[in-house]
Amino acid sequence: MADVVVEQARSVRAASSRKRTSLRNVLGRKSTVAFLLTLPLILLIASLVLYPAFYSMHLATLNKSMQKFVGLNNFTFLFKRDTFWMVVRQSCIFAITAVFFKALLGFIVAHFVHNLPAKGQRKWRGMLLVPWVIPPAMSTLAWLWLFDPSYSAFNYTLSFFGIGPIPWLGDTFWARFSVILVNVWYGAPFFMIMYLAALKSVPDQLYEAAAIDGANWWQRIWYVTLPMMRNIIAITTLFSLIVTFANFDIVRILTSGGPLDSTHIFATWAFQVGIQSSDIPLGACVSLFMVPILAVAAIFILRDVSKRGNEA
Amino acid sequence: MSRKTLTRRQFVAATAMSSAALISAPYVRGAYAAGKLSIGFWDHWVPGANKASTDLVNEWAAKEKVEVSIDYITSNNKKLELTVAAEAQAKSGHDILQMPTWWPHAYADQLESVTDIMGPIIKQNGEVNGTTKYLGQAGGKWLAVPATVGSQIKGPCSRIDLMKKHAGIDVQEMYPAGSTPKDENWTTDTFLKAAEACNKAGVPFGIGLGETTDSVDTAGAIFQSFGAELVNAKGDITVKTDAVRQALEFYKKLIAVLPADAASWDDASNNKWLISGRGALILNPPSSWAVAKRDAPQVAEQCWTHGMPAGPKGRFAPFLPYFWGVWAFGKNKEAAKSLLTHLSQPSSIEKFVAASGGYDLPAFANMTKLKTWAEEGPPKGTLYSYPDPHGRQTMSIAASPAPPKIAQQIYSQATLTKLALRYARGETMEQALAWAEGECEGFMRS
């Protein structure tokens, strides 16, 4: 009997030690640790992004008073509205134009900064990042004052040259110009810093080889710099396209979508329809419409990036 | 550590004594015996005006033994509207929530009827105006209580000197403080001529053509003075009528003499226009005059608030009321109704009006001659005509009399100002009307 008891105790000890070892093994795995470390973020995203996203999908299928399921009726209703297609067009114009100029300016400025002596470069980098660091709502308010229809600092300055007054926010063309300008001003530093990082990672030997081959400035840019920066350009453009497409604060503060709805983009129109007009299902529909457009853009750009990654 | 043990005998004795004490003691009512009440009020523009609300609520809470908590919610960037929408979605939130103009109708299904308290309030304070009924009632049921706080008329605030000099109009004589207005000749034609004269003199009328409430309210009152409705009370689209055409012709002439950038004006633009001394008239509650009193006293001294010009179909004042709503899912509805009754007493209303320097406007007929409006200045009597004490105007809200859920769309999408602007900027009358008709068809969605 005593032998049996001893045997049992030994087998229990062995089993618990095996359990401890296997737990230690599981915890020791990098993937498990990585999962546990990212778990808070996953939960945060699930509660603050996924839940609202699914909830807005649910809202988009309800009627105006949110009491009846109407399927895709809200979407078909939107497709018949001229204002909706105007908003689609404007959102595309706004996002594509702003991202193009942000990328172009970022690229140019990044080259200037890259070519500065290392000693002064940090100061310039800091100063050039200021527009991106200031909260956009605050800086847009400053722009609003600059564009103020009656007391615009721009118009005051232009008057010395016999130009103006320009109705910055009152005329369709100038209002579109103004919202895009502010978006470019705000977003260009992000491109600049990303491109600067990419430029710094291009090996000098490539430029030396190009110089030996007799490449001029333009050829160095086209055949060395751009191919080396392609992935960064693609990812930055995708990221900026998503953020710009979903922009709200700049348009809301500067024009509220006016004049004559000429500056409305998806987010501002969704707010106007959903909150100001108490038609939450339709507002949800408008905002959800951005998803397929951005998904298609993301698929194309990321596929291109991964293809080049595989080639490398 | 010593520990005293309780014997069975001691336990029985202690229990008996406690029971005897509890039974024989007098009933003492706890400090918050009537429960809790949470309130979401609109955060007032006028400094110090919130204090009147807090004081009145505390006064009631002390008497009724209710624990109250008040949140002052700004209407900046539609925070108040967002709060209403969020609480309606969550079916949880404040017991009483202040709601802007269209929101009682928008959330009618989730609001507790306040018909039972509105009867006695009306009996005490006089009948409410038609716009308040239109916005606050559905099917004979009161959806919310008209709030004095925040309610306003956006009537003309004229510069006495500039109107006299350039348009030949003595606004003080036309709207004398303390007596009946002599406004028979104050018509849309006179208004247009005055606007043209002031523009010629370099001090144009400051009327916005944007998408915010000041611009929309003005357009609403002007359209109504021509009898122009985009959608009638039955819900039929009535865009292509002579009345709408007349209103558009008037607006086109008016737009020609307004500041060139009026299309981008927001609710602050006309205030700045008046205070800077660049304009002869704006349409606004007395907040701009109040700011001028502080920042540009020489301008404030020349300001005179008065009635709207009359059109072929009457004189309409842009009235923008607030309401206090009680959620049907609220936890303390009886206390909420009791508080709203308290806030609607004449003495409470008088305090609101005084605390806001005359800005807040009650919707009740007997409450338009309070001393605050008669005494405010400079110049003394500048606000006398603000609450329309002689009943010269019809209180109106833009887009009415369309069914409120359609009217809310016309209002919030600024269809009236956009229509006027389209025609003034070169679209033909028929193109502009066809656009408005298409918009209104879209607003019929249920």
Side-chain angles (χ1 to χ4, degrees):
Chain A
M1 191 68 193
D3 284 351
V4 173
V5 171
V6 170
E7 277 304 309
Q8 270 178 349
R10 194 175 296 155
S11 69
V12 168
R13 261 204 307 275
S16 83
S17 125
R18 260 204 309 278
K19 233 182 231 172
R20 269 204 305 276
T21 317
S22 68
L23 185 66
R24 197 174 299 135
N25 285 344
V26 168
L27 287 174
R29 269 188 226 141
K30 275 185 181 171
S31 58
T32 315
V33 174
F35 174 75
L36 288 175
L37 287 173
T38 51
L39 190 60
L41 189 64
I42 290 168
L43 291 175
L44 202 69
I45 288 172
S47 58
L48 297 179
V49 179
L50 289 180
Y51 172 70
F54 281 109
Y55 188 59
S56 66
M57 280 180 211
H58 162 69
L59 284 175
T61 60
L62 302 178
N63 71 335
K64 191 176 166 189
S65 56
M66 295 190 280
Q67 287 163 334
K68 211 168 68 184
F69 176 76
V70 291
L72 296 175
N73 281 4
N74 289 333
F75 288 98
T76 52
F77 170 80
L78 272 181
F79 293 158
K80 287 185 222 146
R81 308 300 310 150
D82 290 342
T83 317
F84 171 72
W85 291 112
M86 196 167 80
V87 170
V88 173
R89 206 170 48 241
Q90 276 155 203
S91 296
C92 292
I93 293 171
F94 176 77
I96 293 167
T97 317
V99 170
F100 174 77
F101 282 105
K102 280 189 273 194
L104 185 69
L105 268 175
F107 191 78
I108 294 168
V109 177
H111 271 82
F112 277 121
V113 176
H114 183 58
N115 290 324
L116 284 173
K119 203 179 160 192
Q121 217 182 81
R122 200 182 294 168
K123 267 184 265 172
W124 280 101
R125 278 207 305 260
M127 282 191 287
L128 287 165
L129 275 175
V130 166
W132 193 56
V133 173
I134 302 172
M138 266 177 69
S139 52
T140 311
L141 272 178
W143 279 98
L144 180 66
W145 293 328
L146 291 170
F147 287 135
D148 189 286
S150 305
Y151 319 99
S152 162
F154 286 154
N155 280 349
Y156 180 72
T157 312
L158 288 173
S159 69
F160 293 116
F161 304 98
I163 304 168
I166 294 170
W168 294 104
L169 304 174
D171 175 81
T172 305
F173 170 79
W174 286 113
R176 283 185 184 143
F177 171 85
S178 304
V179 293
I180 291 171
L181 174 71
V182 176
N183 193 283
V184 170
W185 177 85
Y186 172 68
F190 170 70
F191 279 82
M192 186 273 292
I193 205 74
M194 295 295 280
Y195 290 171
L196 191 61
L199 276 175
K200 288 193 182 298
S201 66
V202 179
D204 285 342
Q205 294 90 324
L206 291 179
Y207 291 112
E208 283 162 18
I212 291 164
D213 288 345
N216 59 25
W217 176 84
W218 173 246
Q219 285 166 326
R220 283 204 300 274
I221 293 271
W222 193 253
Y223 294 108
V224 179
T225 312
L226 277 176
M228 293 300 289
M229 288 175 69
R230 250 176 101 176
N231 277 356
I232 289 288
I233 290 173
I235 290 168
T236 317
T237 305
L238 171 67
F239 181 76
S240 179
L241 200 65
I242 291 168
V243 174
T244 312
F245 219 78
N247 186 271
F248 176 78
D249 37 21
I250 291 173
V251 174
R252 177 78 198 162
I253 292 169
L254 284 185
T255 64
S256 291
L260 295 175
D261 294 328
S262 60
T263 54
H264 263 311
I265 50 179
F266 279 114
T268 56
W269 201 54
F271 184 77
Q272 172 135 15
V273 170
I275 300 298
Q276 282 182 240
S277 308
S278 292
D279 195 341
I280 289 175
L282 202 63
C285 265
V286 174
S287 55
L288 279 176
F289 199 81
M290 285 189 280
V291 178
I293 297 177
L294 293 175
V296 169
I299 288 166
F300 274 101
I301 296 173
L302 291 177
R303 203 176 57 177
D304 197 37
V305 170
S306 82
K307 203 167 78 186
R308 278 197 303 276
N310 292 339
E311 281 164 8
Chain B
M1 192 172 128
S2 69
R3 192 174 168 187
K4 199 176 174 185
T5 53
L6 192 70
T7 64
R8 189 176 60 83
R9 199 174 292 274
Q10 281 170 321
F11 174 77
V12 172
T15 308
M17 278 194 294
S18 308
S19 305
L22 275 173
I23 291 162
S24 60
Y27 176 64
V28 179
R29 202 176 182 195
Y32 300 122
K36 292 180 179 180
L37 192 74
S38 66
I39 307 156
F41 279 146
W42 169 63
D43 189 12
H44 213 296
W45 306 118
V46 178
N50 287 344
K51 192 177 175 297
S53 304
T54 308
D55 290 347
L56 284 165
V57 169
N58 287 340
E59 182 186 295
W60 169 86
K63 201 171 79 188
E64 299 295 332
K65 311 289 181 208
V66 176
E67 183 184 354
V68 289
S69 62
I70 308 176
D71 293 316
Y72 287 100
I73 306 162
T74 179
S75 53
N76 283 343
N77 287 314
K78 306 290 169 191
K79 174 82 165 57
L80 190 56
E81 287 85 340
L82 279 166
T83 308
V84 180
E87 293 191 4
Q89 286 285 298
K91 292 194 170 42
S92 165
H94 298 94
D95 293 288
I96 296 174
L97 192 57
Q98 190 154 356
M99 299 183 174
T101 325
W102 300 100
W103 268 253
H105 266 280
Y107 293 99
D109 299 336
Q110 287 168 275
L111 288 171
E112 175 77 5
S113 168
V114 287
T115 311
D116 53 341
I117 57 168
M118 276 307 287
I121 291 172
I122 289 172
K123 207 172 168 188
Q124 192 173 26
N125 297 338
E127 195 54 73
V128 293
N129 61 59
T131 294
T132 307
K133 275 189 196 163
Y134 164 77
L135 293 165
Q137 272 188 339
K141 173 183 122 176
W142 276 102
L143 303 168
V145 175
T148 298
V149 179
S151 298
Q152 57 198 266
I153 288 179
K154 294 180 178 175
C157 178
S158 294
R159 280 282 300 266
I160 299 163
D161 51 350
L162 298 178
M163 286 290 273
K164 205 180 281 180
K165 187 176 170 191
H166 303 301
I169 296 172
D170 187 336
V171 288
Q172 283 175 302
E173 194 182 290
M174 192 161 70
Y175 282 91
S179 57
T180 315
K182 298 165 193 154
D183 56 359
E184 292 74 22
N185 295 327
W186 183 232
T187 62
T188 42
D189 285 342
T190 322
F191 184 83
L192 191 58
K193 278 181 196 148
E196 285 164 349
C198 289
N199 179 52
K200 210 171 162 189
V203 282
F205 284 11
I207 296 173
L209 298 162
E211 298 177 16
T212 50
T213 60
D214 283 4
S215 303
V216 175
D217 289 329
T218 303
I222 289 176
F223 268 66
Q224 277 155 351
S225 66
F226 284 93
E229 300 165 355
L230 299 190
V231 175
N232 68 17
K234 289 183 212 154
D236 305 322
I237 296 174
T238 50
V239 170
K240 290 181 175 171
T241 57
D242 287 344
V244 174
R245 288 188 170 91
Q246 275 176 31
L248 285 181
E249 292 296 355
F250 172 83
Y251 236 114
K252 188 173 186 174
K253 287 179 200 154
L254 181 64
I255 288 172
V257 293
L258 295 179
D261 48 26
S264 61
W265 278 24
D266 60 18
D267 287 350
S269 306
N270 54 352
N271 297 34
K272 288 190 275 184
W273 187 253
L274 183 83
I275 295 162
S276 68
R278 297 174 69 184
L281 175 147
I282 61 163
L283 286 114
N284 214 58
S287 46
S288 41
W289 163 78
V291 175
K293 206 161 62 154
R294 186 192 66 199
D295 295 346
Q298 74 287 2
V299 171
E301 284 161 15
Q302 293 296 332
C303 288
W304 199 255
T305 294
H306 57 89
M308 286 289 286
K313 298 291 175 192
R315 198 184 298 280
F316 290 82
F319 181 57
L320 201 66
Y322 267 87
F323 291 90
W324 288 308
V326 178
W327 288 122
F329 48 77
K331 288 175 187 143
N332 205 349
K333 289 185 262 191
E334 285 313 306
K337 285 183 181 180
S338 166
L339 173 60
L340 292 184
T341 305
H342 178 70
L343 297 181
S344 303
Q345 296 303 303
S347 59
S348 304
I349 289 175
E350 202 166 345
K351 278 178 192 158
F352 286 133
V353 173
S356 66
Y359 177 99
D360 293 338
L361 206 62
F364 306 100
N366 298 346
M367 304 301 299
T368 58
K369 290 186 177 174
L370 301 176
K371 63 178 181 187
T372 303
W373 294 307
E375 288 171 3
E376 277 287 344
K380 195 178 176 195
T382 182
L383 299 186
Y384 175 76
S385 297
Y386 169 59
D388 191 29
H390 298 279
R392 306 286 291 180
Q393 311 179 78
T394 304
M395 297 297 144
S396 76
I397 179 83
S400 64
K405 286 191 179 171
I406 299 169
Q408 184 182 5
Q409 303 292 320
I410 298 173
Y411 186 96
S412 60
Q413 305 282 338
T415 310
L416 293 173
T417 46
K418 284 180 199 164
L419 174 61
L421 208 51
R422 278 171 178 266
Y423 181 52
R425 283 192 173 178
E427 280 189 19
T428 65
M429 175 73 82
E430 293 315 307
Q431 278 172 333
L433 293 178
W435 169 83
E437 205 169 49
E439 288 289 291
C440 291
E441 274 164 14
F443 300 153
M444 300 291 165
R445 184 175 162 275
S446 60

